[in-house]
Amino acid sequence: MAALLQLYTQINVIKEEYYTRNRIAEENRQREHDAAVKIQSWFRGCQVRAYLSHIHRQATVIQKTCRGFAARQHFRERLKTAYFLMKIHFYNKMAVKIQQRWRGYFVRTYVHNFYARKRYLDELAKKNGQIRRELEELAEQQRKERERTAMEKEEKEKYTQAQRLHFLLSTKQCPGVFNSPFRQEPDEMELRLRRVKPVRTQSAPKEPWHLNQQPLSLQYNKDKLPPIHKTPQGPFRPAVEVQQQRYRPLEPSLRVATSITALEEAREELRRQEWRTRLIDQPFVPFSKAQRNRRYESLLHTASPYQQEEYGKKHFREEDQDQLKGKQPFKTVFTSCQVFEKYGRLYSNAGKIV
Amino acid sequence: MSQRQVLQVFEQYQKARTQFVQTVADLATRPQNIETLQNAGVMSLLRPLLLDAVPTVQQTAALALGRLANYNDDLADAIVKADILPQLVYSLAEQNRFYKKAAAFVLRAVAKHSAELAQAVVDCGALDALVVSVEEFDPGVKEAAAWALGYIARHNAQLAQAVVDAGAVPLLVLCIQEPEIALKRIAASTLSDIAKHSPELAQTVVDTGAIAHLAQMTLNPDAKLKRQVFSALGQISKHSVDLAEMVVEAEIFPAVLSSLKDPDEYVKKNVTTMMREITKHTPELSQMIVNAGGVAAVIDYLGDSRGNVRLPGIMMLGYIAAHSENLAMAVIVSKGVPQLAICMAEESEDHIKAATAWAFGQIGQHTPEHARAVAAANVLPKLLNLYLDTQSSEDLQVKAKKALKNILQKCTYLPALEPLLYEAPSNILKHVICQFSKVLPHDSKARRLFVTSGGLKKVQEIKAEPGSALQEHINAINNCYPEEIVRYYSPGYSEVLLERVDNYQPS
């Protein structure tokens, strides 16, 4: 109760106090209210701002994810296109390369090949030059040959002329007509005369004996031959005939007249003649059986000296040439047939019987 | 009267006959005697002597007849009319070789003149007898018979066919292989005469293997033989591609080119003719000859020779150039154009000039490059002169014009075209202006040069009908230049200027 008493005692104070406090409170109410509003607004502002910022952050996350996704999508599209284009370009480039190679090849092969043509024309000019040169040389050689023959002929004529005129040669005592003393030097003919041999004076050719013309020695004693027997026997042939038989010229038989190596010589001569008169070195191959002697035919543009070797025909096996050469061939010597050789040559009728 | 006196009469008669025929035969060698002999009735006197008992008289009579027939066709005709030929043919079969020779000579002399006379010879059955004589052992007889066959065959295709039908060709081919040069010569000439008429006859000759033997003789040193051989090869190859290829296959190239340097003119001519006949067929054959260096050799040959023998060479170049532009270029590269220009300048005969003009046309017609090569040799004014020359033959004028046209249509070498502007008649001028109108729009230097050289002025002076091709070309040229320049060079511009001066009022 004390407390209550105490309060009662103090009631006035308290009342006072109460009124004071109320007044103070009344006085501060507006300020406090403002402050509270301020505090609240600040807080609420903070709160909303925090929320907003939170929302924004979330939105950003959403947006960035979304945009990233779309952008990636778009990028992938772009990349695809770019890659496709790159491929297309590459392919085009390659196609152009292929086409240019092919077109170049085709044109060069079938339409027109400039470099081949140029090369061909150059080659042709070279070949023409060569042909011209060769023909020039040939013509020159032929001209020289003709000149030489003409000169030889002339020389020969002069020589025979000189031979015929050899008697006009000057002697020590008396100069010849070609060696005029009024000239500085003798005529060319004089020099030639000194060099040539004179023609041998030939006696007229001896005529063969004919039946009506008898040899000189015979004409003296044609009537009387030396007697062989004491008493002349039998019917005699005319002396002329006997004389002819005795002096008939040597008529060797064919066997004697020909050399033993005549055959070889003839063959050799034939071979030589063939070699000399041969016009074309490559023998002409006939058209028939053409497949048998067909040779490699080089193309027109690609003439080359190389040819296929005849393997197996010529070079496959060695041949022992010495062994083959070893034997001497037979030499056949024919004995002559006496009967035929004497036929008609003897005056006795007995010899004429074969 | 003794027997001897009786025989003496005969002897005298025989001597007189012999002397008579010998004298007649001698007299017949001189052309001035022949008229007299004919008037004296020598024909009727010789005819019985052909049947004389003495072989010498027969032969000499035949010889005399041959010489008479050789002289002109009237006498040959007289021999035919006198029915001497059957006698000769009859005795050709059985007499000795001297008589055969003389008889073949008569037949040859008769057949030489015309196709009718040759036909008369054939009609009396001479061919069989001659063919038998070709088989004779004696080369002289062979020669005479082959010669007669050749003279028969040379006239026309029927006669040649008759000779072929008589079986002469294989024997002639055998004759070629004989060692006697004269016989070879005649046989080759006869083959040539047979082969020249038609492809079939040439084929017959080829079928007997003649080409191989002819080809072997191309290098023979004898000039006259070579003439005939090359002539035969040329006649064979002229007909068809196949025959020409057969000739080429005998591998005569390039060896025959050496014959182009032969001293004998006709050898050269015949070789060139043969090459011409071969080249005219196909580009391949031409190419083969070009590759063998034939063009260069022929061009040299053109330089060496003069006159008519140049003709085949010129034609050969033309034929080669006509085949393709490549071959034409080969001719140009082988320095053919200057040589042809020399030929054109040197030769006086129209047909050679015509051939040269034709060859130029063939060379220059392919591309501007070819035309330029031809134009650079200063050929165009010469061709124009030939075309305009009133003394040129019609053929030459036509050929020159055609060549000019061919070259001009390709020529872009303006310096060579300019002179033509001043000289050419309108039908040539058309092509010249056309070329200018094609080149000038694309070449500024040429435009400038065209003005300074007075070409533009000349073009303005040309009076062309409106609407014609020439006017169009002139307009195309005018369009390449500013209007003032064109007006400046137009004729009458000075009057226009003066008029303007008159009308001008100074203010």
Side-chain angles (χ1 to χ4, degrees), chain A residues 1-174:
Chain A
M1 285 305 265
L4 198 48
L5 247 171
Q6 206 176 356
L7 278 173
Y8 274 121
T9 56
Q10 291 179 343
I11 205 151
N12 286 340
V13 177
I14 290 170
K15 274 182 185 171
E16 195 70 20
E17 186 92 354
Y18 174 71
Y19 287 116
T20 313
R21 279 194 188 178
N22 268 356
R23 203 187 63 236
I24 292 169
E26 268 313 299
E27 277 176 4
N28 286 340
R29 181 181 290 153
Q30 191 62 41
R31 244 179 9 124
E32 280 170 5
H33 179 257
D34 285 350
V37 166
K38 214 168 201 171
I39 290 165
Q40 277 177 2
S41 72
W42 174 77
F43 177 76
R44 282 187 189 150
C46 279
Q47 199 179 17
V48 167
R49 269 194 292 277
Y51 180 64
L52 266 180
S53 73
H54 173 73
I55 291 282
H56 276 147
R57 266 203 301 281
Q58 297 308 314
T60 307
V61 167
I62 291 169
Q63 277 177 356
K64 82 176 180 197
T65 318
C66 187
R67 281 180 185 164
F69 179 74
R72 271 183 212 103
Q73 204 88 318
H74 182 67
F75 174 71
R76 235 172 257 131
E77 284 297 316
R78 290 270 303 269
L79 191 65
K80 247 186 203 167
T81 322
Y83 180 62
F84 179 73
L85 282 178
M86 201 178 83
K87 271 200 304 191
I88 286 287
H89 283 146
F90 179 74
Y91 289 151
N92 281 346
K93 224 154 102 189
M94 291 299 118
V96 164
K97 242 178 205 174
I98 292 169
Q99 280 174 3
Q100 82 187 29
R101 285 293 163 93
W102 161 247
R103 283 185 185 154
Y105 168 76
F106 179 79
V107 167
R108 273 192 293 277
T109 321
Y110 296 105
V111 183
H112 184 247
N113 187 349
F114 176 74
Y115 288 101
R117 181 164 182 265
K118 200 173 156 190
R119 212 178 325 124
Y120 171 70
L121 290 177
D122 286 349
E123 288 287 317
L124 187 71
K126 224 183 281 170
K127 171 94 185 175
N128 282 343
Q130 187 197 342
I131 285 279
R132 283 194 166 118
R133 227 171 16 250
E134 278 173 11
L135 286 183
E136 256 340 288
E137 275 168 22
L138 185 78
E140 182 69 14
Q141 195 186 332
Q142 281 178 348
R143 197 180 54 77
K144 273 184 188 159
E145 183 72 15
R146 277 197 298 277
E147 272 175 11
R148 197 176 56 78
T149 350
M151 219 166 73
E152 268 175 16
K153 201 177 162 192
E154 199 187 349
E155 186 69 18
K156 206 172 173 186
E157 267 172 17
K158 277 186 182 166
Y159 185 81
T160 30
Q161 184 70 14
Q163 271 189 330
R164 288 204 189 117
L165 297 178
H166 192 262
F167 59 92
L168 295 174
L169 182 66
S170 46
T171 58
K172 218 177 212 175
Q173 296 299 326
C174 164

Side-chain angles (χ1 to χ4, degrees), chain B residues 425-436:
Chain B
S426 66
N427 54 350
I428 301 291
L429 199 61
K430 187 171 63 185
H431 302 293
V432 178
I433 296 284
C434 176
Q435 290 309 110
F436 273 112

Side-chain angles (χ1 to χ4, degrees), chain B residues 186-395:
Chain B
I186 303 295
S189 140
T190 307
L191 286 177
S192 160
D193 283 338
I194 292 174
K196 77 179 174 186
H197 294 295
S198 72
E200 290 77 23
L201 289 166
Q203 187 64 47
T204 323
V205 173
V206 171
D207 286 343
T208 49
I211 287 181
H213 301 294
L214 288 172
Q216 272 181 332
M217 287 188 295
T218 51
L219 293 181
N220 201 298
D222 186 68
K224 283 180 183 161
L225 175 59
K226 272 203 280 191
R227 281 183 200 173
Q228 304 299 348
V229 166
F230 286 127
S231 153
L233 287 175
Q235 301 287 11
I236 289 172
S237 54
K238 82 175 178 184
H239 294 292
S240 71
V241 183
D242 291 339
L243 291 167
E245 276 175 0
M246 299 270 270
V247 171
V248 170
E249 269 172 22
E251 292 183 359
I252 51 175
F253 291 101
V256 291
L257 296 183
S258 63
S259 296
L260 284 173
K261 288 286 177 188
D262 204 275
D264 190 87
E265 206 171 44
Y266 286 94
V267 173
K268 292 196 271 192
K269 187 188 169 193
N270 285 355
V271 174
T272 324
T273 312
M274 183 188 76
M275 284 161 70
R276 181 191 76 193
E277 302 300 349
I278 291 173
T279 50
K280 79 177 181 188
H281 290 297
T282 64
E284 287 77 20
L285 287 168
S286 303
Q287 182 86 59
M288 198 279 306
I289 286 189
V290 168
N291 287 353
V295 172
V298 167
I299 288 167
D300 278 6
Y301 155 74
L302 286 181
D304 292 342
S305 56
R306 296 279 173 283
N308 243 338
V309 286
R310 273 175 167 173
L311 187 63
I314 293 169
M315 288 178 73
M316 180 191 147
L317 293 184
Y319 277 128
I320 289 180
H323 283 306
S324 75
E325 60 97 20
N326 217 351
L327 288 167
M329 205 59 200
V331 173
I332 292 170
V333 165
S334 315
K335 300 174 188 124
V337 175
Q339 188 59 56
L340 282 174
I342 291 171
C343 288
M344 189 182 255
E346 279 181 357
E347 294 304 328
S348 57
E349 286 187 56
D350 272 1
H351 67 276
I352 299 182
K353 280 185 181 170
T356 321
W358 171 78
F360 274 129
Q362 300 302 329
I363 294 172
Q365 70 179 352
H366 296 285
T367 66
E369 208 182 335
H370 293 79
R372 187 197 170 99
V374 175
N378 202 18
V379 166
L380 298 180
K382 286 180 198 163
L383 283 174
L384 188 65
N385 283 342
L386 287 179
Y387 172 54
L388 295 179
D389 193 356
T390 47
Q391 290 178 347
S392 313
S393 67
E394 199 173 320
D395 180 51

Side-chain angles (χ1 to χ4, degrees), chain B residues 6 24 54 57 66 69 79 106 129 146 164 190 195 309 322 338 347 383 416 446 448 453:
Chain B
V6 174
V24 168
V54 186
V57 176
I79 289 182
V106 179
V164 170
T190 307
V309 286
E347 294 304 328
L383 283 174
R448 190 188 160 82
S453 65

Side-chain angles (χ1 to χ4, degrees), chain B residues 456-463 486-496:
Chain B
L456 189 63
K457 193 173 174 211
K458 173 67 192 161
V459 167
Q460 302 311 320
E461 284 162 8
I462 294 168
K463 289 185 190 68
V486 176
R487 250 192 288 151
Y488 178 72
Y489 282 114
S490 306
Y493 183 63
S494 51
E495 279 87 56
V496 174

